[in-house]
Amino acid sequence: MSVLKAMLSTVAVAATFVAGTAQADDVRIALVVKALGIGFFEAAAKGAEEAAAELGGVEIIYTGPTDTTAEGQIEVINSLIAQQVDAIAISANDTDALVPTLKKAMQRGITVISWDSGVAPEGRELHLNPSSNPLIGNMIIKLAADHLPDGGDVAVLSATTTSTNQNIWIDEMKKVMGNYPGVNLVATVYGDDLADKSYRETTGLIQTYPDLKAIIAPTSVGIVAAAQAVADAGKIGEVNVTGLGLPSEMAGAIESGASQSFAIWNPIDLGYSATMLAYNLATDKAEAAAGAEIPMGRMGSLTLDENTEGAMADPFVYDSSNIDDFKSIF
């Protein structure tokens, strides 16, 4: 998408006022997501609201562009700077492109953290990884390999080519491929976190690689689209779709057999943790520095490494044994 088109697109801003009408002296925290209308981020917003209610005196502004572009997020950030919010917690569409605008926000006294998908260190104070990148990378290939006792061809359906977190997870996955003999990565394609494009890319994989045994989609949009494409192609039982997804959106795929299992951290916990971190930094209750331990409420504390990054928790596997327990939650 061109910069002009992105700038002309409508930027939808949804504000959630917690615990009654927001007061002038409330700490205003903007939870900026990759795009509105994605279930994972809507669940994260619920966690942010939970944290705000627990803290008191906090207003959550849940916002993002209408599509997964850096240009759209830049427009959102500029709007938040103009509103003089106290903190911005962002899941980035691009590691580097957002840096100049976020630096401007920090120069105006706004606390900036990234979560889920990171920003380069010069554009934020800390980054909250939902889990350890090596653990996620190992998990997504293990989910495929567990159902391939004799090995086989696998492919990856990712989000965008610039999506920070997916790129890191795929790199980590490749590092441990040798631990899964006979499992071969034949292709990586990109659905741009759009359901229709992800569906088409999956269909293309099935047609191009007739011996394909698994599709790994480390994106909650892509995994659902891939499972539907596999079902529509009559490939249930031949091609297993796995990766990272939401229980509410993947329950049908587990039931049909299009997916044997998948994993995800709890996005509610992630939004909750990001809000707690942003609040503690914005109110000077903590400082983002290497080695620092910053409280995250009921989630414990985040220990920052030399890059001022930290991990929230390990990913959790969902399958037919537990999907019914979680599908109504998120």
Side-chain angles (χ1 to χ4, degrees):
M1 173 176 289
S2 68
V3 173
L4 177 59
K5 183 177 179 182
M7 295 302 286
L8 290 175
S9 67
T10 301
V11 179
V13 179
T16 302
F17 298 91
V18 182
T21 303
Q23 302 298 313
D25 57 351
D26 279 353
V27 176
R28 293 186 300 155
I29 299 174
L31 193 74
V32 181
V33 299
K34 291 183 176 182
L36 297 177
I38 296 176
F40 179 90
F41 293 120
E42 291 171 353
K46 293 180 181 179
E49 293 170 10
E50 178 192 341
E54 183 179 322
L55 290 165
V58 173
E59 174 192 350
I60 298 296
I61 301 171
Y62 174 63
T63 182
T66 55
D67 52 15
T68 54
T69 63
E71 293 84 3
Q73 286 191 318
I74 287 169
E75 187 176 0
V76 169
I77 296 164
N78 279 324
S79 174
L80 294 169
I81 292 172
Q83 295 175 53
Q84 298 179 328
V85 299
D86 296 291
I88 294 172
I90 187 167
S91 177
N93 284 327
D94 191 288
T95 311
D96 301 310
L98 304 181
V99 168
T101 311
L102 290 172
K103 285 177 72 173
K104 181 170 71 173
M106 290 189 290
Q107 289 164 0
R108 304 288 175 86
I110 298 172
T111 292
V112 176
I113 71 167
S114 56
W115 58 282
D116 176 53
S117 185
V119 175
E122 58 268 27
R124 47 74 174 170
E125 296 180 41
L126 66 76
H127 175 62
L128 172 66
N129 285 308
S131 183
S132 157
N133 289 323
L135 286 176
I136 296 168
N138 180 70
M139 176 64 73
I140 59 177
I141 187 61
K142 182 178 184 297
L143 288 167
D146 282 349
H147 299 279
L148 294 173
D150 299 321
D153 292 345
V154 303
V156 170
L157 168 67
S158 191
T160 64
T161 57
T162 59
S163 186
T164 314
N165 48 1
Q166 274 91 1
N167 288 339
I168 293 172
W169 299 333
I170 294 166
D171 286 343
E172 293 292 342
M173 181 194 80
K174 291 176 179 177
K175 291 178 183 178
V176 297
M177 289 287 291
N179 296 337
Y180 303 95
V183 178
N184 307 307
L185 178 63
V186 296
T188 299
V189 298
Y190 301 90
D192 292 345
D193 261 354
L194 299 172
D196 56 349
K197 185 176 182 185
S198 297
Y199 183 98
R200 293 194 303 272
E201 292 289 349
T202 301
T203 300
L205 287 171
I206 293 170
Q207 294 171 346
T208 304
Y209 302 97
D211 295 328
L212 192 65
K213 299 299 182 184
I215 295 172
I216 300 166
T219 153
S220 62
V221 175
I223 193 173
V224 175
Q228 187 62 55
V230 165
D232 290 349
K235 292 291 186 177
I236 289 177
E238 297 178 45
V239 180
N240 175 38
V241 176
T242 189
L244 305 177
L246 298 177
S248 61
E249 297 176 350
M250 285 297 291
I254 291 291
E255 183 178 352
S256 73
S259 175
Q260 295 297 315
S261 60
F262 64 96
I264 197 70
W265 36 91
N266 189 328
I268 296 173
D269 290 345
L270 192 55
Y272 173 93
S273 299
T275 300
M276 284 292 184
L277 293 169
Y279 176 83
N280 282 320
L281 293 181
T283 57
D284 296 326
K285 291 180 171 59
E287 181 179 351
E293 294 187 7
I294 303 178
M296 297 189 295
R298 62 174 171 77
M299 294 301 294
S301 62
L302 184 74
T303 301
L304 298 179
D305 63 15
E306 64 276 7
N307 296 317
T308 58
E309 296 184 19
M312 183 186 74
D314 291 333
F316 182 82
V317 176
Y318 303 85
D319 55 25
S320 59
S321 71
N322 60 17
I323 191 68
D324 288 340
D325 296 332
F326 292 95
K327 66 182 182 182
S328 62
I329 299 174
F330 68 98

